[in-house]
Amino acid sequence: MASLLDFNTNLSQITGETTLLYKDIARNVEKTKRIKIIDFGIGQPDIVTFKRIRDAAKEALDQGFTFYTSAFGIEELREKIAQYLNTRYGIDVKKDEVIITPGAKPALFLSFILYINPGDEILLPDPSFYSYAEVVKLLGGKPVYTNLKWSREEGFFIDVDDLQSKISSKTKMIVFNNPHNPTGTLFSPNDVKKVIDIARENKIILLSDEIYDNFVYEGKMKSTLEDADWRDYLIYVNGFSKTFSMTGWRLGYIVARRDVIQKMGVLAANIYTAPTSFVQKAALKAFDTFDEVNEMVKLFKRRRDVMYNELSKIKGIQVSKPNGAFYMFPNVREILDVSKLDVKSLAIKLIEEKGVVTIPGEVFPLNIGKDFIRLSFAVNEEVIREGVQKIKEFVEEMMKP
Ligand SMILES: Cc1ncc(COP(=O)(O)O)c(C=O)c1O
């Protein structure tokens, strides 16, 4: 007889949402030591969803739009998303090449379920968003990491030779994320093209997560959708969480070839039936709020500059200026070497002694992150100054001979 503890064996390899762990440590420190917490760990804009979107949700509710929708989402929103992408990138996505999902994470989940067979190798950047590897392992796939290279002057970039060398007969999919969490990198159009070429030439699925595509401070955002042959290999994931500051609403989408979207719909119907009805109506209005989005991005650019300037003054920290998303990923190797701490212990000590929450880079597997910490600049300027000042004091204490 099966025991209640006979869980899915793949679960033993899953670690869960590790970024939240550091918030828990901070809560405990706040309570027991009464230290004020400054949270650079957060992964969402700190702006309440724009009024026009909130009003549209209320209106949809008042009109009784409360029933299941199609598993693919409402037609008007699928159409609106296709139009938005077509205008932005000069392409020709059709509405039946779009499926609406309850967030980008479920979109990623559907994409992984659709393709992964046990033993399949899935190429992930190192470092990368923690949940890719977890879901791949859950489904019996094998994460294979390809290094991003880093220099202080150039920041992170794709190591094309490394990526090529990791492709084997078992490679099923390459996961790409641009702009990139956790490094804040906006990959160059040339790097994007190289990734596309590798996927196309090797007949490998390219799963491209472009959820930070509106948080671009310098440079040009090249989408994988801009390749004329995208239908041959691309699963494109995006969502409303970051661009319209709608994290709690849970809404995302996938663009892929029509027959792939049909299969996604079957999975969706069996897993969650449909995305939330009135949230989809509200999202129609989101596309009218790009003035607000642009203001938010300008604000984030100022915050990025403040955080970058202040962090750059700290001896022992090497930081590159990120061009996208809202994360900074400074190298702290020198501090680790002097203090003989690993990055996880360093992040915990920083919370315990100064109340400043950062995320140790090793949360974003596998190896590269062991020299880095992630800070989010989705917090106000004063808090950024105060928090970085505390980091400076902390580092000075750690680096004392
Ligand atoms: C790279 C990346 N993809 C996907 C997500 C999840 O987005 P959503 O809130 O739409 O599920 C996040 C959220 O932090 C992210 O950083």
Side-chain angles (χ1 to χ4, degrees):
M1 199 174 72
S3 136
L4 282 178
L5 296 177
D6 283 347
F7 298 123
N8 176 333
T9 46
N10 293 339
L11 272 182
S12 61
Q13 301 186 49
I14 308 293
T15 48
E17 171 127 26
T18 26
T19 52
L20 292 179
L21 178 79
Y22 296 89
K23 185 76 186 166
D24 290 343
I25 296 172
R27 267 191 215 105
N28 200 26
V29 166
E30 191 173 30
K31 232 182 5 205
T32 53
K33 292 195 177 174
R34 301 202 180 283
I35 297 181
K36 178 182 163 193
I37 298 299
I38 293 190
D39 190 0
F40 291 143
I42 52 174
Q44 59 183 340
D46 58 334
I47 314 271
V48 174
T49 307
F50 313 129
K51 183 168 183 316
R52 279 192 275 181
I53 304 175
R54 301 196 317 262
D55 287 346
K58 290 180 202 164
E59 200 181 312
L61 280 171
D62 288 342
Q63 287 173 354
F65 198 73
T66 58
F67 301 99
Y68 292 138
T69 69
S70 152
F72 297 94
I74 59 175
E75 295 271 310
E76 309 96 283
L77 187 56
R78 297 171 77 193
E79 176 75 51
K80 196 90 175 178
I81 290 167
Q83 272 171 11
Y84 159 68
L85 293 169
N86 292 344
T87 310
R88 177 165 181 181
Y89 294 120
I91 50 177
D92 67 341
V93 173
K94 308 282 188 300
K95 76 165 181 250
D96 55 2
E97 293 174 320
V98 179
I99 181 170
I100 319 289
T101 59
K105 267 188 182 161
L108 293 164
F109 194 56
L110 290 186
S111 310
F112 286 130
I113 303 176
L114 201 59
Y115 286 101
I116 295 180
N117 283 310
D120 282 347
E121 293 182 358
I122 309 297
L123 291 186
L124 303 175
D126 181 13
S128 61
F129 182 46
Y130 57 85
S131 104
Y132 303 140
E134 302 295 87
V135 177
V136 168
K137 287 185 281 182
L138 180 67
L139 297 169
K142 185 177 166 214
V144 173
Y145 294 93
T146 83
N147 297 336
L148 295 183
K149 273 191 173 161
W150 176 82
S151 75
R152 211 198 74 73
E153 298 72 30
E154 290 181 85
F156 285 87
F157 49 95
I158 291 165
D159 184 343
V160 179
D161 292 339
D162 189 64
L163 178 54
Q164 292 268 22
S165 75
K166 298 284 168 58
I167 292 175
S168 78
S169 58
K170 292 189 184 151
T171 309
K172 190 63 170 279
M173 184 186 265
I174 298 174
V175 178
F176 183 56
N177 171 216
N178 187 34
H180 182 253
N181 179 8
T183 65
T185 307
L186 173 71
F187 292 109
S188 70
N190 199 26
D191 269 5
V192 176
K193 188 174 177 312
K194 283 181 193 156
V195 174
I196 290 173
D197 288 347
I198 290 173
R200 193 180 37 211
E201 281 159 22
N202 292 282
K203 300 201 183 332
I204 296 170
I205 309 290
L206 179 62
L207 175 59
S208 186
D209 175 350
E210 300 184 17
I211 193 155
Y212 294 101
D213 62 350
N214 284 295
F215 293 88
V216 170
Y217 309 112
E218 283 101 18
K220 185 178 171 327
M221 167 72 200
K222 180 179 169 67
S223 174
T224 49
L225 276 172
E226 289 175 63
D227 183 52
D229 299 327
W230 64 266
R231 289 178 180 83
D232 293 346
Y233 59 84
L234 182 67
I235 309 290
Y236 169 93
V237 168
N238 208 325
F240 292 78
S241 287
K242 317 283 175 174
T243 295
F244 303 108
S245 196
M246 291 175 70
T247 49
W249 298 64
R250 312 308 304 132
L251 205 64
Y253 55 92
I254 303 168
V255 178
R257 211 173 55 210
R258 190 175 294 129
D259 55 317
V260 175
I261 292 293
Q262 282 303 318
K263 290 225 179 327
M264 300 267 190
V266 174
L267 285 177
N270 281 289
I271 299 172
Y272 54 75
T273 304
T276 309
S277 55
F278 56 92
V279 165
Q280 296 182 66
K281 284 278 187 194
L284 284 170
K285 268 280 173 299
F287 293 96
D288 297 336
T289 63
F290 271 100
D291 284 349
E292 289 92 324
V293 172
N294 292 337
E295 276 308 305
M296 175 171 73
V297 175
K298 262 196 232 155
L299 174 71
F300 278 37
K301 186 174 185 215
R302 288 199 297 273
R303 291 169 169 182
R304 177 203 62 164
D305 291 342
V306 171
M307 185 179 264
Y308 174 76
N309 290 338
E310 295 306 308
L311 277 176
S312 301
K313 293 177 193 160
I314 304 177
K315 200 176 160 304
I317 287 187
Q318 291 195 58
V319 59
S320 321
K321 203 184 224 181
N323 288 344
F326 34 77
Y327 305 112
M328 217 160 277
F329 205 57
N331 184 304
V332 292
R333 174 46 47 202
E334 211 180 317
I335 309 167
L336 299 174
D337 285 346
V338 173
S339 64
K340 308 265 185 293
L341 290 174
D342 60 29
V343 74
K344 191 171 168 189
S345 316
L346 185 86
I348 293 174
K349 209 170 164 60
L350 180 58
I351 302 173
E352 286 174 346
E353 294 188 5
K354 300 288 175 189
V356 178
V357 184
T358 62
I359 308 293
E362 70 175 50
V363 163
F364 311 98
L366 189 63
N367 288 318
I368 308 270
K370 287 179 179 158
D371 289 347
F372 296 84
I373 52 173
R374 191 192 77 175
L375 292 86
S376 161
F377 48 89
V379 284
N380 86 44
E381 230 176 277
E382 256 119 80
V383 176
I384 291 177
R385 286 183 198 282
E386 190 183 343
V388 178
Q389 179 57 32
K390 289 189 174 175
I391 294 177
K392 187 164 185 277
E393 290 161 17
F394 175 77
V395 173
E396 281 166 5
E397 286 159 27
M398 301 294 296
M399 300 286 278
K400 256 188 214 147

